[in-house]
């Protein structure tokens, strides 16, 4: 077995991994990035749309795995969307070079400053809001839909109806920025370019239009010539050596998920950016199998970012329905965060079924009053999480739906979810390796000199809005300081 010796390894190519790669490569460091998913850009394989999921749509599954309406059987393939199933919660994850940026809705939301301060009392909020958040938004190519286009475009009827109904029920709404290129979208509306957002593409990847990380941070990092990305490389265990370097056992797989080579990598500096669940699995599994040192905070302070899906059926009578044609890119939200009794933010989500199903879908984001924790036993992760953790979220969803139905008609979305509530649907797992608790102030893992955690696991379970802008900004902040401290010399 060949040992591959490299100075710096990054595990994972999502937001944390992509930001750290760029900042290291710009400074002239040679970096190897290991990603278990496929390099979609290189593979030239097309992504599927929602209505016809092909084999690229799911990570080694025999069935597609959208949150609802899965009737498609598949041949197992290293597809772009994965789902991890736990007893009371299912967690969706992006797989491939670009991580979650390949499958997410592109909603690029900066948290409210007051909530950011509450969650990260030790961080310099002024510096974040004047520098790291603007930097993250610029690099991610965040933009906002043109208001006139939104008002005129038939594909945004669901947003107009959603906002109108929310106002009638006495709620405030907000415009939500996105990384989908809205100039491209206007062209796709005029049929000048191939359609993506208007062709039901999103959760299984966008063939066009979306500025995912492979088009932003990772592209810039590759352009320096200092980054090499090895896709279909899944890290199994990490070992800390006596000289404080690391040895990684890695399986190279084919697109059917079969191991084609067992490899051993050896590095001086290691960045764990495998996403909240991936990073926790690597730390806890490595601890269980080869005494990898961890600290008591690892696995603690985990949350679902208050994710709670809900919806309303039969919205047709007063509004005329949500539209047969729907863009997959959300641009509106209900902002009820400042209500002390029912603080939440609700994304007005599309449901592009190819016909008007007169159903309104919402992904609510709530506070997480009771955190969960992640542990490892019998060779797998378990999450201490049940209905008690989502009790207040359910109350908020119930309050929201009742108020909306009272003002506008409609029923709770029993057709989409059991009882109308999708409490178990999680797109935003956060925490478990919290900044300043499990790590030092800049992501260096406690008890380690050369290992850094830079991804969603740094955020203590909640940030009040969709998280990738925050993950990006926090990684920028950590890298800025780690580089100043010469950690990668
Ligand atoms: P990730 O982006 O998850 O990247 C981790 C990478 O590491 C993955 O590519 C994974 O394959 C790889 N990896 C894991 N383990 C290993 C291993 N052992 N070996 C090698 N590689 C490994 N957020 C928003 O802000 N706005 C949205 O609109 C939004 N919509 C979403 C919609 C969906 C369907 C989903 C699933 C998520 C959405 N999110 C959204 C959440 C957002 O995508 C995630 O919070 C974000 O991607 C997390 O970034 P990260 O850097 O922590 O890790």
């Amino acid at each position: 077995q060949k040992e591959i010796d490299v100075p710096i390894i990054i595990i994972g190519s999502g937001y944390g991994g992509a930001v750290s790669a760029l900042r290291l490569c710009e400074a002239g460091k040679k970096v190897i990035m290991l990603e278990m998913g496929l390099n979609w850009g290189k593979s030239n394989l097309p992504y599927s749309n929602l209505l016809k999921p092909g084999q690229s749509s799911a990570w080694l599954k025999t069935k597609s795995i959208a949150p609802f309406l899965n009737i498609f059987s598949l041949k197992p393939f290293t597809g772009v969307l994965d789902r991890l199933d736990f007893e009371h919660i299912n967690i969706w994850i992006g797989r491939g070079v670009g991580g979650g940026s390949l499958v997410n809705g592109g909603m690029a939301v900066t948290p409210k400053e007051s909530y950011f301060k509450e969650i990260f009392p030790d961080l310099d909020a002024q510096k974040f809001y004047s520098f790291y958040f603007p930097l993250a938004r610029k690099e991610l190519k965040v933009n906002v839909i043109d208001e006139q286009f939104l008002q005129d475009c038939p594909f945004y009827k669901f947003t107009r109806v959603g906002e109108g109904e929310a106002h009638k029920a006495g709620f405030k709404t907000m415009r939500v920025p996105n990384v989908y290129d809205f100039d491209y979208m206007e062209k796709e509306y005029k049929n000048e370019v191939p359609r993506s957002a208007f062709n039901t593409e999103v959760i299984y990847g966008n063939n066009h239009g979306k500025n995912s990380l492979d088009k932003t941070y990772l592209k810039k990092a590759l352009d320096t010539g200092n980054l090499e990305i090895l896709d279909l490389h899944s890290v199994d265990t990490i070992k800390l050596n006596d000289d404080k370097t690391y040895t990684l056992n890695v399986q190279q797989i084919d697109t059917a998920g079969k191991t084609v080579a067992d490899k051993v990598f050896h590095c001086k500096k290691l960045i764990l950016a495998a996403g909240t669940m991936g990073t926790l699995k690597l730390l806890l599994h490595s601890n269980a199998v080869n005494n990898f040192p961890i600290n008591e905070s690892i696995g603690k302070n985990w949350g679902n970012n208050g994710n709670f899906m809900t919806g309303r059926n039969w919205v047709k009578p007063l509004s005329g329905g949500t539209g047969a044609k729907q863009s997959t890119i959300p641009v509106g939200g209900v902002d009820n965060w400042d209500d002390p009794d029912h603080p939440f933010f609700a994304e007005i989500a599309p449901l592009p079924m190819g016909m008007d199903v007169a159903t309104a879908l919402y992904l609510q984001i709530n506070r997480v009053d009771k955190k969960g924790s992640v542990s490892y036993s019998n060779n797998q992760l378990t999450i201490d999480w049940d209905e008690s953790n989502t009790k207040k979220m359910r109350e908020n969803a119930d309050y929201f739906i009742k108020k909306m139905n009272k003002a506008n008609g409609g029923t709770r979305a029993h057709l989409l979810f059991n009882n109308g509530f999708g409490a178990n649907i999680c797109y935003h797992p956060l925490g478990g390796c919290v900044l300043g608790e499990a790590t030092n102030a800049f992501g260096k893992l406690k008890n380690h000199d050369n290992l850094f955690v830079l991804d969603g696991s740094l955020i203590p379970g909640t940030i009040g809005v969709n998280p990738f802008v925050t993950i990006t900004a926090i990684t920028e902040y950590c890298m800025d300081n780690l580089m100043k401290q010469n950690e990668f010399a």
Side-chain angles (χ1 to χ4, degrees):
Q1 209 171 40
K2 205 170 82 181
E3 280 213 17
I4 303 155
D5 221 325
V6 289
I8 307 175
I9 289 183
I10 299 177
I11 305 176
S13 62
Y15 294 89
V19 174
S20 18
L22 175 59
R23 298 309 167 209
L24 287 165
C25 292
E26 268 180 352
K29 310 281 176 201
K30 293 269 179 212
V31 174
I32 296 273
M33 180 177 265
L34 302 174
E35 167 57 54
M36 66 195 275
L38 192 61
N39 191 334
W40 293 91
K42 259 196 182 159
S43 76
N44 268 327
L45 281 169
Y47 295 117
S48 304
N49 66 20
L50 275 168
L51 301 180
K52 286 193 219 97
Q55 61 170 12
S56 66
S57 64
W59 178 259
L60 302 173
K61 306 268 189 295
T62 50
K63 225 175 125 189
S64 64
I65 49 165
F68 21 74
L69 302 168
N70 291 297
I71 47 170
F72 304 94
S73 64
L74 303 169
K75 199 167 120 218
F77 185 82
T78 50
V80 72
L81 184 66
D82 197 2
R83 190 186 65 206
L84 308 178
D85 297 335
F86 298 92
E87 199 181 348
H88 296 281
I89 189 163
N90 304 312
I91 301 176
W92 276 262
I93 284 172
R95 297 264 179 244
V97 173
S101 77
L102 303 172
V103 299
N104 67 35
M107 295 173 78
V109 197
T110 306
K112 285 190 191 274
E113 191 166 344
S114 54
Y115 198 57
F116 181 81
K117 282 182 178 154
E118 186 183 325
I119 300 303
F120 287 113
D122 297 335
L123 294 184
D124 179 353
Q126 203 269 329
K127 183 85 198 263
F128 265 83
Y129 283 79
S130 65
F131 182 69
Y132 295 111
F133 281 124
L135 173 64
R137 290 193 296 259
K138 183 178 126 262
E139 296 283 7
L140 293 167
K141 301 200 170 158
V142 175
N143 66 158
V144 181
I145 194 167
D146 178 76
E147 208 56 37
Q148 196 57 51
F149 178 66
L150 169 57
Q151 293 312 321
D152 297 342
C153 181
F155 287 82
Y156 277 107
K157 183 173 184 215
F158 78 96
T159 303
R160 297 194 296 273
V161 166
E163 291 181 349
E165 289 189 329
H167 296 157
K168 217 168 145 206
F171 291 111
K172 259 190 341 197
T173 59
M174 63 177 280
R175 187 65 52 245
V176 180
N178 204 288
V179 298
Y180 197 93
D181 180 346
F182 288 111
D183 287 337
Y184 186 91
M185 190 186 276
E186 292 200 20
K187 289 195 188 111
E188 65 182 276
Y189 179 52
K190 292 185 210 144
N191 275 319
E192 292 170 6
V193 291
R195 287 184 163 184
S196 185
F198 291 177
N199 183 32
T200 77
E201 291 177 2
V202 68
I203 194 172
Y204 307 134
N206 283 91
N207 287 303
H208 312 279
K210 185 158 84 179
N211 280 310
S212 42
L213 290 167
D214 47 324
K215 310 220 169 55
T216 57
Y217 276 99
L218 289 172
K219 178 173 186 307
K220 265 181 136 174
L222 284 167
D223 286 347
T224 63
N226 289 329
L227 175 64
E228 188 182 352
I229 304 177
L230 301 178
D231 69 339
L232 298 177
H233 278 64
S234 177
V235 182
D236 183 46
T237 52
I238 313 169
K239 186 168 158 275
L240 173 65
N241 301 311
D242 292 342
D243 63 356
K244 298 186 173 176
T245 60
Y246 294 93
T247 301
L248 277 55
N249 282 90
V250 179
Q251 281 145 10
Q252 185 178 356
I253 55 175
D254 64 16
T255 53
K258 217 175 99 234
T259 302
V260 291
D262 283 307
K263 295 186 178 175
V264 176
F265 286 79
H266 184 251
C267 65
K268 187 147 181 278
K269 302 280 174 181
L270 180 60
I271 294 181
L272 269 183
T276 297
M277 302 318 295
T279 288
L280 289 175
K281 185 169 176 202
L282 279 169
L283 292 171
L284 295 168
H285 171 68
S286 299
N287 173 258
V289 300
N290 57 19
N291 262 332
F292 180 84
I294 56 171
N295 63 73
E296 70 290 346
S297 297
I298 289 174
K300 307 265 167 59
N301 229 339
W302 183 93
N304 69 345
N305 198 25
N307 282 189
F308 200 95
M309 248 200 212
T310 188
R312 296 163 46 234
N313 294 131
W314 316 119
V315 296
K316 204 161 186 142
L318 298 182
S319 66
T322 45
K325 297 173 173 176
Q326 297 193 13
S327 169
T328 53
I329 298 301
V331 294
V334 175
D335 178 2
N336 205 50
W337 199 258
D338 296 329
D339 174 349
D341 297 328
H342 300 289
F344 65 84
F345 169 77
E347 163 191 339
I348 297 172
L351 193 61
M353 303 299 301
M355 57 182 164
D356 193 340
V357 289
T359 296
L361 181 67
Y362 308 95
L363 173 60
Q364 243 187 21
I365 297 178
N366 299 274
R367 301 173 78 101
V368 181
D369 298 323
K370 185 181 172 195
K371 303 279 178 64
S373 62
V374 178
S375 54
Y376 190 84
S377 54
N378 297 331
N379 248 327
Q380 57 182 15
L381 285 183
T382 48
I383 308 182
D384 180 10
W385 184 266
D386 59 27
E387 288 88 4
S388 67
N389 299 86
T390 52
K391 190 168 167 279
K392 179 65 192 167
M393 304 172 199
R394 179 178 288 260
E395 278 170 29
N396 282 351
D398 192 40
Y399 165 81
F400 173 57
I401 295 298
K402 278 194 178 134
K403 218 171 152 188
M404 289 292 277
N405 286 343
K406 196 162 171 222
N408 301 290
T411 62
R412 214 153 73 186
H414 292 273
L415 296 178
L416 286 179
F417 314 101
N418 215 356
N419 291 326
F421 293 138
N424 56 339
I425 295 175
C426 175
Y427 287 175
H428 305 162
L430 295 174
C433 195
V434 169
L435 189 68
E437 292 176 12
T439 73
N440 77 358
F442 309 125
K444 186 200 277 198
L445 196 66
K446 286 188 178 162
N447 306 329
H448 289 260
D449 289 315
N450 297 310
L451 190 147
F452 310 87
V453 172
L454 295 168
D455 61 21
S457 64
L458 294 174
I459 301 175
T462 163
I463 196 61
V465 291
N466 315 59
F468 74 60
V469 170
T470 308
I471 298 171
T472 305
I474 286 182
T475 309
E476 288 282 15
Y477 161 79
C478 289
M479 283 305 292
D480 195 6
N481 285 284
L482 293 170
M483 301 291 280
K484 278 181 191 145
Q485 296 186 339
N486 249 339
E487 286 284 4
F488 299 98

